[in-house]
């Protein structure tokens, strides 16, 4: 039987509903007959009907699960071998779905974490520079009861070694912005591309 992936996905949903219904029935019914020999002789027809109904229901349950799992396996195989294009990147469908489930990948986490650390250290050094400068100016003022332009120049020179040196190896903010933009584009486009792929691709499954 040949159907599009979209149609097979619909079949899986129908199977799930039927399976859920039978599971509820099986959970609430007796899959056995218990009574006395006399009761069995008296109600043999009812006992045998209950037995046949229970076996038939359970067998249909097992068959439904087998068929659902067979369809799922073929869809998984399809997702593991077929690709979709999102933006300028080609993705194996299975990996694209995995990426969609992940709210934040490790790359994004690393960039955010490094950016936060860098900004925190920058702020510490800037605060330290101002503190050093104020301390030196205060010290000079106390000595001379005033501060000349030469004193201020001397303080500026002394503070120089405490000033910020920052080398951002990867241009972290730029990389993070690009990563986040790609993520937005990915989320916006994946469902469109998946629906298109599923609607135009057929799988043959014998049930």
């Amino acid at each position: 039987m040949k159907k599009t992936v979209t149609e097979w996905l619909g079949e899986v949903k129908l199977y799930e509903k039927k399976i859920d219904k039978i599971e509820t029935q099986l959970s609430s019914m007796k899959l056995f007959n218990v009574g006395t020999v006399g009761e069995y002789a008296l109600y043999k027809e009812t006992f045998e009907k209950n037995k046949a109904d229970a076996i038939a229901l359970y067998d249909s349950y097992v068959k439904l699960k087998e068929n659902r799992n067979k369809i799922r396996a073929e869809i998984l195989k399809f997702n593991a071998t077929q690709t979709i294009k999102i933006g300028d990147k080609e993705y194996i469908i299975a990996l694209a779905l995995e990426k969609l489930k992940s709210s934040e990948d490790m790359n994004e986490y690393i960039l955010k974490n490094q950016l936060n650390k860098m900004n925190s250290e920058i702020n510490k050094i800037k605060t330290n520079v101002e503190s050093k400068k104020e301390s030196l100016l205060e010290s000079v003022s106390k000595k001379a009861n005033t501060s000349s332009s030469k004193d201020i120049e001397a303080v500026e020179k002394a503070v120089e070694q405490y000033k910020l040196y920052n080398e951002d190896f990867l241009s972290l903010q730029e990389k993070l912005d690009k990563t986040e933009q790609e993520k937005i584009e990915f989320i916006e486009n994946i469902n469109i591309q998946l629906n298109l792929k599923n609607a135009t691709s057929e799988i043959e499954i014998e049930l």
Side-chain angles (χ1 to χ4, degrees), residues 7-187:
E7 289 171 326
W8 284 122
L9 287 167
E11 287 287 324
V12 170
K13 286 181 181 178
L14 289 175
Y15 273 103
E16 292 286 6
K17 284 182 181 178
K18 290 177 183 177
I19 288 166
D20 286 346
K21 185 179 178 181
I22 294 178
E23 283 177 342
T24 301
Q25 289 177 274
L26 290 172
S27 297
S28 61
M29 70 186 294
K30 289 182 178 180
L31 298 177
F32 54 85
N33 278 326
V34 174
T36 65
V37 172
E39 285 173 329
Y40 176 72
L42 188 61
Y43 301 108
K44 182 179 179 180
E45 190 176 331
T46 302
F47 274 40
E48 289 302 318
K49 184 178 183 305
N50 289 345
K51 177 183 174 181
D53 288 347
I55 290 172
L57 186 63
Y58 185 77
D59 286 347
S60 70
Y61 170 65
V62 171
K63 185 62 179 175
L64 284 168
K65 287 184 75 176
E66 283 178 1
N67 286 346
R68 179 203 61 187
N69 292 343
K70 196 179 283 187
I71 297 169
R72 273 181 174 174
E74 290 301 321
I75 291 172
L76 286 172
K77 196 188 295 181
F78 174 84
N79 288 344
T81 55
Q82 298 297 310
T83 62
I84 53 174
K85 194 167 184 180
I86 301 171
D88 59 351
K89 289 186 179 180
E90 195 95 15
Y91 293 90
I92 295 285
I93 293 174
L95 294 177
L97 290 169
E98 189 178 308
K99 182 179 171 71
L100 183 63
K101 288 176 187 176
S102 172
S103 59
E104 179 178 86
D105 64 22
M106 200 43 128
N107 177 43
E108 188 178 350
Y109 170 79
I110 289 168
L111 293 172
K112 279 184 179 176
N113 189 41
Q114 288 293 315
L115 193 59
N116 287 336
K117 283 181 178 178
M118 183 181 75
N119 287 335
S120 176
E121 290 185 22
I122 286 171
N123 288 334
K124 279 181 186 175
I125 289 174
K126 284 181 176 178
T127 303
N128 186 48
V129 169
E130 289 304 313
S131 177
K132 289 279 183 187
K133 187 174 179 179
E134 284 176 16
S135 177
L136 288 168
L137 282 171
E138 190 178 340
S139 176
V140 168
S141 295
K142 281 180 181 177
K143 281 182 182 178
N145 291 323
T146 182
S147 53
S148 67
S149 60
K150 283 186 179 180
D151 292 330
I152 293 171
E153 283 177 19
V155 167
E156 291 288 355
K157 194 170 183 181
V159 169
E160 197 69 36
Q161 62 181 315
Y162 298 106
K163 284 188 176 178
L164 175 68
Y165 160 77
N166 180 39
E167 188 176 359
D168 182 352
F169 306 151
L170 302 177
S171 301
L172 291 167
Q173 187 63 62
E174 190 180 318
K175 276 204 184 314
L176 179 60
D177 290 344
K178 186 180 178 186
T179 300
E180 289 178 336
Q181 184 56 40
E182 285 176 352
K183 182 180 175 181
I184 291 167
E185 288 175 4
F186 178 84
I187 292 169

